[in-house]
Amino acid sequence: MVHSIKDYLNVVITFSIAYVVALACSIGGPEYNGFPIILICMLISFFMHWIAFIPSFFLKTEKYYDISGTLAYVCVIVTALFLTKSESGGTLNVRSAVTIVLVLIWAIRLGAFLFFRVIKAGEDRRFREVKQKFAKFLVWWSMSALWVFLTTVNALVMIINNVAYYNDYYFLIGLLIWLGGFVFEVVADEQKRRFRLLDSNKSKFISTGLWSISRHPNYFGEILLWIGMAVIAFPTLNGWQNISLISPIFIYFLLTRLSGVNLLESYADDKWGSDEKYQEYKQSTPVLVPFFKNANP
């Protein structure tokens, strides 16, 4: 095993960030047997990822990485549902119920898509080196746990608060934004999947459909739907709970700076950088936001 103090420190920092956010969001929030529900959800995310990490490391495989994240999403949402109903006498308001359905649909769809993509591809190239090193691989699993929690913390706080639904504009506008982002992401993923099925497109880049108006339309849809969720949640938050609005900000930062756009742009430049058609596509197509060519993420 290869160990690194720096990697273990990163694991501690990752956990600490999640803990501080959960603690702040728990102020004035519901508890279960004296323990903040939001903190319970956060701990479940990390516990599940760390358990899944153990066999994944010894088998030197990343195939269970995305599906473990999906299961964590489902578990933290179901936990929030169960504990909230227990503390509210079995009552779950419409706003909370709709949010639960939206997050579960998103998580299961995306998790299944990513899992089968890795199975078909045989590997996720991001893990070629890190899965050989215990500490570094643990960092990735811890980051996934943080990803699950910070992605859903906004929705979780809203579910746990269980505020009555009054048919307000925040809910309706947020729901429309969420649906728009979800459809954008699903369509973009399906267009790319079908593009890759054709042998004639092997080693080619996609520039049709939604990919003609954005080089990363799936990520744009992902960011948009979590903005929608934040709009739905906003009027239900109190005091320190507003920290949970970090969800769409975290998603944007993650997908544009850490594990999304930047890595894929670098990979595309290495693979098609000398291709004139790719250079034309890159010059004429926005990186992320459709129709905003000069807007850099």
Side-chain angles (χ1 to χ4, degrees):
M1 294 186 185
V2 178
H3 299 279
S4 168
I5 297 298
K6 181 180 178 181
D7 288 330
Y8 286 121
L9 180 60
N10 285 333
V11 171
V12 172
I13 291 173
T14 299
F15 180 83
S16 298
I17 291 172
Y19 183 80
V20 169
V21 172
L23 206 60
C25 291
S26 71
I27 298 176
E31 298 181 343
Y32 181 77
N33 289 336
F35 204 76
I37 297 177
I38 190 68
L39 194 56
I40 294 174
C41 292
M42 185 276 287
L43 292 173
I44 286 175
S45 179
F46 276 86
F47 178 76
M48 290 187 65
H49 277 86
W50 286 341
I51 290 296
F53 158 76
I54 297 172
S56 295
F57 172 72
F58 286 106
L59 293 174
K60 295 296 185 289
T61 180
E62 72 281 9
K63 290 182 179 179
Y64 308 114
Y65 185 79
D66 290 318
I67 199 66
S68 295
T70 298
L71 292 175
Y73 278 118
V74 172
C75 284
V76 296
I77 291 297
V78 170
T79 298
L81 165 63
F82 174 76
L83 297 183
T84 298
K85 288 189 69 174
S86 296
E87 289 303 297
S88 62
T91 301
L92 189 69
N93 288 310
V94 174
R95 199 185 205 99
S96 295
V98 170
T99 298
I100 290 170
V101 172
L102 293 180
V103 176
L104 289 179
I105 289 174
W106 167 83
I108 294 171
R109 198 289 307 181
L110 183 60
F113 174 80
L114 294 175
F115 177 71
F116 287 116
R117 187 178 69 179
V118 170
I119 293 297
K120 183 178 180 180
E123 69 165 348
D124 186 330
R125 59 178 179 269
R126 296 176 300 172
F127 295 94
R128 284 178 183 172
E129 295 183 9
V130 297
K131 64 185 177 184
Q132 306 300 326
K133 303 174 182 178
F134 183 91
K136 195 168 291 295
F137 201 28
L138 179 60
V139 172
W140 277 79
W141 284 85
S142 299
M143 279 297 299
S144 182
L146 177 67
W147 188 333
V148 168
F149 177 66
L150 289 189
T151 298
T152 57
V153 65
N154 197 206
L156 288 171
V157 172
M158 174 171 42
I159 293 167
I160 294 167
N161 282 346
N162 202 23
V163 175
Y165 170 57
Y166 296 106
N167 199 32
D168 58 286
Y169 288 114
Y170 282 102
F171 180 83
L172 298 175
I173 293 173
L175 182 59
L176 287 175
I177 295 173
W178 190 95
L179 290 172
F182 182 74
V183 170
F184 215 90
E185 180 179 27
V186 171
V187 171
D189 282 339
E190 180 61 16
Q191 287 176 341
K192 192 168 188 178
R193 186 189 71 82
R194 293 187 179 186
F195 177 85
R196 287 178 167 174
L197 286 176
L198 300 177
D199 291 336
S200 58
N201 291 328
K202 188 176 181 180
S203 297
K204 292 183 179 180
F205 61 91
I206 182 172
S207 59
T208 56
L210 294 179
W211 300 83
S212 67
I213 59 175
S214 170
R215 301 209 294 274
H216 304 280
N218 51 340
Y219 289 155
F220 172 73
E222 176 86 350
I223 294 167
L224 192 63
L225 71 86
W226 289 109
I227 290 175
M229 185 62 70
V231 173
I232 295 173
F234 181 70
T236 72
L237 307 177
N238 298 299
W240 284 98
Q241 291 180 347
N242 283 286
I243 288 179
S244 69
L245 292 171
I246 194 177
S247 286
I249 299 172
F250 172 74
I251 289 296
Y252 174 82
F253 178 77
L254 192 69
L255 293 181
T256 60
R257 296 289 185 268
L258 293 181
S259 67
V261 172
N262 60 328
L263 294 181
L264 291 177
E265 285 289 302
S266 178
Y267 174 76
D269 287 341
D270 289 340
K271 188 170 185 177
W272 299 297
S274 58
D275 188 329
E276 290 185 8
K277 290 185 178 180
Y278 175 72
Q279 289 300 330
E280 291 176 5
Y281 170 70
K282 189 173 181 179
Q283 289 297 320
S284 62
T285 309
V287 178
L288 186 68
V289 184
F291 311 115
F292 285 83
K293 188 171 67 173
N294 295 324
N296 295 316

